[in-house]
Amino acid sequence: MAEFVPVDPFDLLIFGGTGDLARRKLLPALFHRDRDEQFSADSRIVAISRGDMDDAAYAEWVHDALAAQLTPKELEPAVWARFSARLCHYSLDMQDDSGWTGLGDRLDDTHCRNRVFYLATAPSLFGTIAAQIAQAGLADARSRIVLEKPVGHDFDSAREINDAVGAVFSESQIYRIDHYLGKETVQNVLALRFGNSLFEPLWARGAVDHVQITVAENLGVGQRFDFYNRTGALRDMVQNHMLQLLCMIAMEPPASMDHDDIRNEKIKVLRALKPITADVVDRVTVRGRYTAGIVAGEPVPGYREEGDSPDIKTTEQDTETFVSIKAEIDNWRWNGTPFYLRTGKRMARKLSEIVFQFKPVPHSIFGDQPLTPNRLVLSLQPEEGVQLTLMTKEPGPGGFRMRSLPLNLNFPDAFSVTYPDAYERLLMEVLRGNPALFMRRDEIESAWRWIDRIIDSWHTRGVRTHEYMAGSWGPTDSFVLLDRDDRRWAQPE
């Protein structure tokens, strides 16, 4: 039976503590964990921003943020009283030397706590903040630092950030976060593969025809246009979320659940990814950008229209909001088995899933009865679960009729205790000092090497974006990508 285990006393310093990530994800996640009594009485949450507010004003800001996302029942007065007592705010220009001494004075006390620095800021500030932390004497052997994605925008910038942060903190103290690794279904890949004798013999090229990974969002870029216009779907989603999912499902069995054993196997997958070069890039990748359309029954603007907002000052580029890729892993387990990756904005609906399409039976004894190959679907959102489709006989008289039916494991139905958000799990793992669910430096840099090769190949061949209507499943060329191999994208339920 699941239980919530308290963590040791801590100081959690959130740089960017009044930003969007803190408001939407970090503070609600911390409130949920406090509600389940995982924090000691003397643990503190210190928000750091340039905002001019005292502790009381910040607590009021947090209450408003939580009230906008939680039900009145969730926002229990007794829990809020306990949680708000932990909240502090410190005004600081993170690039100015003058305020850091005062931060040290604010934190100084006689209690022995773990100290976590959560950098919910622009990646360009990561190195600066780490250096200031060191200069102020705030880092010690018990300190940990959390880096939000993206770590850089290419291999060179990622290495520069890693060097700067690594000059202050050891690799074991650095937690590069990807919230997809905190999702229950992603964690369950390990249990499914290595806790059951049924699947592991089939988890290879001999039985698997191909694998599909889809991460679709029905929202547009909105107010993130400036950031997104400089980034694009390949950097924003594939470099981190999708490659991490790929590593989890394709890696070899680790020796143990030790964090380095798991990450050692993941890095082998990244290094085995076949480079996508200029001579093949237009056949194995598709770039897309959404136009106006209908999502959930409502008209929505296209990417260009969102960029026409008077608040947007950035010049529009040929930025992709959709990308699909045929990836191949050159190793013994997966050689010849394609992995199709697909992600996009303004898709038909929000969906994240991994589909294992198994090969058909070698010979049918059922005459002209159509047989659908088995399929294993790992659903990450909107609901987490596992589905396996099997062929079975329809009951009743009238002949031998075959039908494909699913076996379902729906996590919310099967388990009474769940983590509502991946950030809750990941924050607890940081506070416990367990880096297994976080990315190591060599993972980040290997992923960027593969992504940089694709971007360079796009530029060399002049690969442009293809338009797709908002509310669809992407441009026509994405379907052609699979059609060339006589395959189809799995149709979401």
Side-chain angles (χ1 to χ4, degrees):
M1 181 177 179
E3 60 178 326
F4 297 117
V5 180
V7 295
D8 293 335
F10 63 85
D11 280 343
L12 174 60
L13 287 73
I14 305 176
F15 291 84
T18 57
D20 185 61
L21 179 67
R23 177 181 58 82
R24 291 188 303 106
K25 295 294 185 180
L26 302 182
L27 291 164
L30 291 165
F31 181 83
H32 280 132
R33 295 303 97 227
D34 201 358
R35 185 182 61 185
D36 288 318
E37 301 182 353
Q38 288 195 267
F39 301 157
S40 64
D42 56 347
S43 292
R44 298 183 297 190
I45 300 169
V46 183
I48 299 170
S49 76
R50 299 176 68 176
D52 183 17
M53 61 178 76
D54 58 17
D55 294 350
Y58 182 66
E60 183 178 353
W61 182 89
V62 172
H63 187 274
D64 291 343
L66 294 177
Q69 299 184 69
L70 308 181
T71 65
K73 183 178 180 180
E74 288 179 298
L75 195 54
E76 302 171 35
V79 179
W80 167 248
R82 183 173 69 232
F83 185 71
S84 61
R86 307 184 189 284
L87 299 174
C88 313
H89 183 270
Y90 185 78
S91 297
L92 176 68
D93 182 342
M94 300 169 202
Q95 300 185 75
D96 187 345
D97 297 345
S98 61
W100 287 85
T101 301
L103 177 59
D105 294 339
R106 181 72 182 269
L107 296 176
D108 189 32
D109 57 42
T110 58
H111 296 284
C112 184
R113 297 183 176 96
N114 293 320
R115 185 170 290 170
V116 176
F117 304 97
Y118 198 115
L119 275 52
T121 67
S124 58
L125 294 175
F126 289 174
T128 299
I129 294 173
Q132 293 281 24
I133 289 171
Q135 188 172 342
L138 300 178
D140 58 31
R142 298 184 58 168
S143 299
R144 296 151 203 167
I145 188 167
V146 183
L147 309 183
E148 264 289 340
K149 72 103 175 170
V151 177
H153 62 272
D154 58 14
F155 172 78
D156 289 336
S157 59
R159 183 169 56 180
E160 183 179 344
I161 290 171
N162 284 328
D163 286 344
V165 176
V168 178
F169 297 91
S170 68
E171 182 63 29
S172 63
Q173 294 177 292
I174 303 173
Y175 292 71
R176 300 171 187 85
I177 197 167
D178 184 338
H179 72 272
Y180 265 63
L181 295 183
K183 291 182 177 294
E184 287 288 349
T185 312
V186 177
Q187 293 301 295
N188 239 316
V189 170
L190 298 176
L192 192 72
R193 288 188 61 186
F194 308 126
N196 299 285
S197 61
L198 173 65
F199 288 111
E200 182 55 23
L202 305 177
W203 212 275
R205 60 187 176 86
V208 177
D209 179 78
H210 70 278
V211 180
Q212 301 179 18
I213 304 177
T214 296
V215 178
E217 300 178 273
N218 56 6
L219 297 177
V221 297
Q223 296 303 309
R224 297 177 71 229
F225 185 92
D226 182 56
F227 162 79
Y228 208 90
N229 202 47
R230 292 178 282 106
T231 305
L234 185 69
R235 289 188 176 101
D236 185 46
M237 294 296 292
V238 179
Q239 186 273 334
N240 40 75
H241 296 332
M242 301 197 77
L243 287 186
Q244 284 297 307
L245 294 178
L246 176 64
C247 288
M248 291 292 287
I249 63 176
M251 70 180 185
E252 294 297 316
S256 71
M257 286 292 287
D258 177 79
H259 59 88
D260 269 331
D261 286 342
I262 292 174
R263 296 195 290 189
N264 285 342
E265 297 305 330
K266 287 164 62 183
I267 191 66
K268 291 178 185 178
V269 175
L270 291 170
R271 290 172 177 167
L273 276 172
K274 186 176 181 178
I276 294 178
T277 55
D279 59 326
V280 300
V281 69
D282 53 351
R283 296 199 303 274
V284 299
T285 71
V286 175
R287 303 177 70 210
R289 184 162 62 174
Y290 62 85
T291 60
I294 306 293
V295 176
E298 297 292 332
V300 295
Y303 181 80
R304 288 189 176 90
E305 288 75 27
E306 289 181 326
D308 286 338
S309 166
D311 298 330
I312 303 300
K313 306 301 181 186
T314 303
T315 302
E316 181 195 333
Q317 303 177 40
D318 188 34
T319 302
E320 78 281 355
T321 63
F322 173 98
V323 63
S324 57
I325 299 172
K326 177 183 177 181
E328 297 180 81
I329 301 173
D330 283 342
N331 63 16
W332 278 58
R333 180 181 291 268
W334 296 113
N335 186 49
T337 302
F339 287 73
Y340 298 102
L341 314 181
R342 173 176 63 167
T343 185
K345 298 281 190 183
R346 288 290 190 213
M347 304 286 275
R349 63 185 178 90
K350 184 175 182 178
L351 175 77
S352 294
E353 68 178 19
I354 303 167
V355 178
F356 282 83
Q357 183 65 62
F358 290 94
K359 293 182 177 180
V361 295
H363 171 70
S364 175
I365 66 171
F366 305 107
D368 58 358
Q369 287 272 356
L371 300 182
T372 303
N374 303 119
R375 177 179 290 174
L376 178 67
V377 180
L378 311 179
S379 299
L380 281 69
Q381 60 181 16
E383 286 192 340
E384 296 182 306
V386 178
Q387 182 185 93
L388 175 65
T389 60
L390 300 172
M391 291 303 300
T392 184
K393 176 189 175 296
E394 287 189 11
F400 203 99
R401 296 184 302 274
M402 301 289 288
R403 185 177 177 185
S404 177
L405 291 174
L407 297 176
N408 280 313
L409 171 59
N410 182 279
F411 288 1
D413 292 342
F415 302 106
S416 59
V417 179
T418 61
Y419 280 83
D421 191 278
Y423 272 98
E424 296 181 38
R425 173 187 292 276
L426 295 174
L427 283 166
M428 293 303 99
E429 295 302 286
V430 174
L431 295 173
R432 292 191 181 99
N434 179 15
L437 303 184
F438 301 84
M439 292 175 285
R440 206 165 59 190
R441 172 177 182 151
D442 51 359
E443 290 181 68
I444 292 286
E445 295 178 2
S446 292
W448 273 123
R449 281 193 184 97
W450 193 71
I451 293 295
D452 284 354
R453 181 68 69 87
I454 297 175
I455 294 172
D456 290 345
S457 298
W458 280 349
H459 290 162
T460 299
R461 293 299 298 266
V463 177
R464 309 294 293 176
T465 58
H466 300 269
E467 291 187 343
Y468 65 96
M469 186 179 295
S472 70
W473 286 106
T476 302
D477 286 64
S478 177
F479 296 90
V480 174
L481 178 68
L482 272 71
D483 190 59
R484 289 194 193 103
D485 299 334
D486 197 26
R487 297 185 175 104
R488 306 289 182 271
W489 287 109
Q491 185 65 34
E493 296 294 333

